[in-house]
């Protein structure tokens, strides 16, 4: 089956519906599926629940979908960089489910691996653990009992992902810290759409160096990325 | 003389031992990297990197290479990259020897609050809850009191918790404190800082 599409609009055609759950890759603005986010804005699909570590910034990344009020609920670990997000949240227009970062990543990985739930120490005894099943395991250094809470896998209707390179079968290679949430997000989507900087001919990616096998990938587009930097931080050459 | 930010970071660097894998939080903890000296320390950045290098030279920033504070950084010849699920596998799985992080409040039983002020600051916990749940040694570096002069070392935290009983050691501008049975133990004080001054500015039980 042909996986390569010409544009982000075409790649999303026929798979969007209001109220759907979307898992998005990216950390801050690094490795975000910026072309697919733009296409979602254009599509007008609404009442979205979006599982993404962050919510973009005002005017870029998921911030665009917030401005158009297409998002009903965010599942995130950190949303501190977005004033419009805060405004909507404090006005009660937007739901927010905080997930510890590792819990969010594992919930995606688990959902994509057919695991409906798992126990983690993270969040036990905090607001995050409230209302969740607690189980004790003898995992302390000397076998002492430790408390774990039940977290559920995320089974997303759609995953939107950014990778560096793909072949036409969907085998993906990521670049540096732009990998972040992209592989677990990709895994947990019933349909996974990936945007890449370059689609390369079959056989040119080393099979031993594939970061995510094409079985997780259903649709691919190639495009130009802005790749905005959130916080440019440098040192002067005199320091060296 | 209380310690300044850099002196606190330098003191925190003494907690690190050769060969350790370490995660540094945002703020003063980030400065700790400047004081590790000749020790062979590998810095983990929870967005998916082991072996974090210094900030890049101007013009050499790479949008695909940032730390957990979203700052541009560089790689080293030992660097590895991985996805977020693997990153928190090593954090939760106890592979990271030490985490050094900031705090709003610490209680005498080792409870930590550093992610939310209800009604005021709603940014999120990021990776802090996973780090304190999984990392072997948790060191907090923070000012001893807040801007209003109120104690931050408390009998019990008033803010939403990041973790319960997770803090091992606290380094403030006034000294170094261990969480022990029954309260906090003074390990050392900054130069010319007296135990009386520390006690006056601490709500937590000092044993």
């Amino acid at each position: 089956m042909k996986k390569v599409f010409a544009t982000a609009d075409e790649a999303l055609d026929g798979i969007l519906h209001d109220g759907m759950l979307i898992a998005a890759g990216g950390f801050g603005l690094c490795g975000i599926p910026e072309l697919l986010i733009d296409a979602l804005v254009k599509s007008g699909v609404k009442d979205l629940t979006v599982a993404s570590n962050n919510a973009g910034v005002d005017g870029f990344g998921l911030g665009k979908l917030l401005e158009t009020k297409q998002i009903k609920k965010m599942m995130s670990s950190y949303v501190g960089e977005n004033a419009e997000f805060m405004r909507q949240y404090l006005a009660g227009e937007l739901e927010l489910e905080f997930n510890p970062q590792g819990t969010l990543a594992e919930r995606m990985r688990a959902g994509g691996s057919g695991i409906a739930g798992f126990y983690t120490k993270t969040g036990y005894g905090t607001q995050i653990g409230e209302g969740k099943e607690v189980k004790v395991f003898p995992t302390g250094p000397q076998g002492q009992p430790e408390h774990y809470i039940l977290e559920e896998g995320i089974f997303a209707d759609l995953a939107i992902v950014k990778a560096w390179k793909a072949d036409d079968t969907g085998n993906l290679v990521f670049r540096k810290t732009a990998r972040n949430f992209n592989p677990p997000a990709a895994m947990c989507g019933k349909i996974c759409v990936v945007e890449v900087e370059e689609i390369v001919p079959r056989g040119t990616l080393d099979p031993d160096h594939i970061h995510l096998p094409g079985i997780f990938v259903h649709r691919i587009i190639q495009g130009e990325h802005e790749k905005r930097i959130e916080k440019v931080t440098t040192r002067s050459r005199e320091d060296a | 003389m209380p310690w300044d930010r850099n002196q606190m970071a330098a003191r925190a660097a003494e907690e690190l031992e050769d060969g350790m894998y370490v995660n540094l939080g945002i703020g003063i903890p980030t400065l700790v990297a400047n004081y590790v000296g000749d020790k062979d320390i590998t810095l983990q950045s929870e967005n998916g990197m082991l072996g974090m290098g210094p900030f890049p030279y101007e013009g050499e920033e790479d949008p695909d290479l940032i730390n957990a504070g979203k700052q541009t950084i560089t790689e080293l010849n030992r660097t590895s990259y991985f996805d977020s699920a693997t990153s928190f596998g090593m954090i939760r799985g106890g592979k990271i020897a030490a985490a050094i992080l900031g705090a709003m409040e610490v209680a005498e039983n080792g409870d930590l609050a550093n992610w939310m002020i209800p009604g005021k600051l709603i940014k999120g916990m990021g990776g802090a809850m996973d780090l304190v749940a999984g990392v072997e040694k948790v060191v907090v570096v923070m000012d001893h009191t807040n801007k209003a002069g109120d104690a931050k070392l408390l009998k019990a935290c008033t803010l939403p918790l990041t973790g319960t009983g997770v803090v091992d050691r606290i380094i403030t501008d006034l000294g170094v404190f261990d969480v022990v049975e029954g309260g906090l133990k003074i390990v050392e004080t900054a130069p010319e800082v007296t135990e009386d001054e520390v006690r006056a500015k601490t709500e937590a039980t000092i044993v």
Side-chain angles (χ1 to χ4, degrees):
Chain A
M1 201 184 81
K2 186 176 160 298
K3 294 187 178 181
V4 177
F5 287 70
T7 66
D9 298 340
E10 287 174 36
L12 293 178
D13 188 41
I15 56 179
L16 301 179
H17 61 87
D18 291 350
M20 72 193 305
L21 169 58
I22 299 179
F27 182 95
L29 301 181
C30 182
I32 60 171
E34 49 184 271
L35 306 176
L36 291 163
I37 291 170
D38 285 348
L40 284 173
V41 171
K42 227 162 110 186
S43 78
V45 65
K46 59 181 192 299
D47 295 328
L48 301 173
T49 295
V50 180
S52 167
N53 188 54
N54 310 95
V57 297
D58 291 298
F60 195 67
L62 289 174
K64 291 185 177 177
L65 275 173
L66 287 165
E67 271 163 35
T68 53
K69 305 208 170 138
Q70 287 167 270
I71 298 178
K72 181 184 69 178
K73 178 180 174 182
M74 286 294 305
M75 302 161 72
S76 303
S77 86
Y78 190 83
V79 294
E81 320 292 349
N82 192 312
E84 174 63 14
F85 185 102
M86 275 306 124
R87 194 201 63 71
Q88 289 185 21
Y89 176 68
L90 294 171
E93 298 166 16
L94 179 69
E95 288 174 59
L96 170 60
E97 177 191 293
F98 271 129
N99 284 255
Q101 195 174 133
T103 295
L104 184 64
E106 190 63 17
R107 288 184 66 190
M108 291 180 181
R109 198 198 68 83
S113 310
I115 294 171
F118 58 91
Y119 292 97
T120 176
K121 278 192 277 190
T122 304
Y124 170 74
T126 75
Q127 279 185 7
I128 297 305
E130 283 170 19
K132 290 175 184 161
E133 183 193 324
V134 175
K135 202 169 166 80
V136 174
F137 292 94
T139 51
Q142 276 84 45
Q144 303 97 317
E146 294 187 306
H147 292 87
Y148 289 73
I149 59 173
L150 178 65
E151 292 282 2
E152 295 180 1
I154 292 173
F155 298 81
D157 298 307
L158 170 67
I160 54 172
V161 161
K162 156 77 173 44
W164 183 36
K165 291 180 180 179
D167 65 21
D168 70 306
T169 72
N171 290 321
L172 300 184
V173 175
F174 299 90
R175 187 169 176 274
K176 302 183 189 287
T177 58
R179 193 180 322 183
N180 57 58
F181 274 82
N182 281 298
M187 290 172 71
C188 80
K190 289 190 192 88
I191 299 174
C192 171
V193 184
V194 179
E195 59 182 66
V196 297
E197 294 174 44
E198 189 183 1
I199 296 175
V200 300
R202 271 186 213 194
T204 57
L205 297 175
D206 182 340
D208 269 333
H209 293 173
I210 302 291
H211 295 141
L212 191 77
I215 192 167
F216 293 107
V217 174
H218 305 97
R219 298 182 176 196
I220 314 156
I221 56 158
Q222 175 182 307
E224 293 292 318
H225 291 81
E226 177 182 335
K227 298 216 277 186
R228 193 183 292 186
I229 296 177
E230 202 162 335
K231 292 177 190 170
V232 174
T233 318
T234 58
R235 65 187 151 136
S236 67
R237 291 185 189 271
E238 288 79 71
D239 293 347
Chain B
M1 277 282 288
W3 286 317
D4 64 21
R5 287 164 59 88
N6 285 303
Q7 289 166 321
M8 288 161 71
R11 179 60 189 81
E14 291 177 27
E15 302 297 320
L16 305 181
E17 292 163 30
D18 210 46
M20 275 187 171
Y21 291 90
V22 176
N23 183 292
L24 301 177
I26 295 164
I28 299 175
T30 304
L31 301 174
V32 173
N34 300 334
Y35 298 97
V36 295
D38 294 335
K39 282 183 279 198
D40 181 26
I41 303 291
T42 305
L43 297 178
Q44 200 246 19
S45 190
E46 67 264 27
N47 53 318
M49 178 183 199
L50 273 170
M52 185 165 50
F55 296 134
Y57 293 122
E58 205 179 331
E60 294 179 4
E61 309 88 0
D62 184 339
D64 289 337
L65 183 45
I66 64 169
N67 64 16
K70 324 247 162 70
Q71 298 168 310
T72 46
I73 46 161
T74 57
E75 65 187 19
L76 306 170
N77 59 11
R78 71 194 309 166
T79 296
S80 59
Y81 299 109
F82 33 85
D83 68 70
S84 298
T86 305
S87 179
F88 283 91
M90 60 187 78
I91 287 170
R92 256 190 265 97
K95 320 298 179 190
I96 307 287
I100 301 179
L101 46 152
M104 298 169 185
E105 298 175 343
V106 178
E108 61 189 41
N109 65 352
D111 286 0
L112 169 70
N114 74 350
W115 75 281
M116 187 193 214
I117 303 172
K120 270 174 93 177
L121 179 79
I122 311 152
K123 291 188 167 188
M125 72 291 285
M129 285 193 181
D130 307 279
L131 280 160
V132 300
V135 171
E136 210 172 308
K137 179 176 182 176
V138 174
V139 178
V140 163
V141 181
M142 65 174 191
D143 289 328
H144 202 89
T145 57
N146 65 20
K147 288 195 180 90
D150 302 325
K152 293 174 69 171
L153 291 173
L154 306 174
K155 291 195 185 304
C157 291
T158 64
L159 296 170
L161 296 180
T162 308
T164 57
V166 292
V167 176
D168 298 296
R169 177 165 277 197
I170 306 128
I171 297 169
T172 75
D173 48 328
L174 299 186
V176 180
F177 309 88
D178 276 349
V179 177
V180 298
E181 195 68 36
L184 304 181
K185 180 169 158 251
I186 300 176
V187 177
E188 64 184 88
T189 53
E192 297 166 51
V193 172
T194 65
E195 283 203 21
D196 285 345
E197 182 184 352
V198 168
R199 282 171 194 276
K201 292 180 174 172
T202 306
E203 185 202 281
T205 309
I206 292 179
V207 297

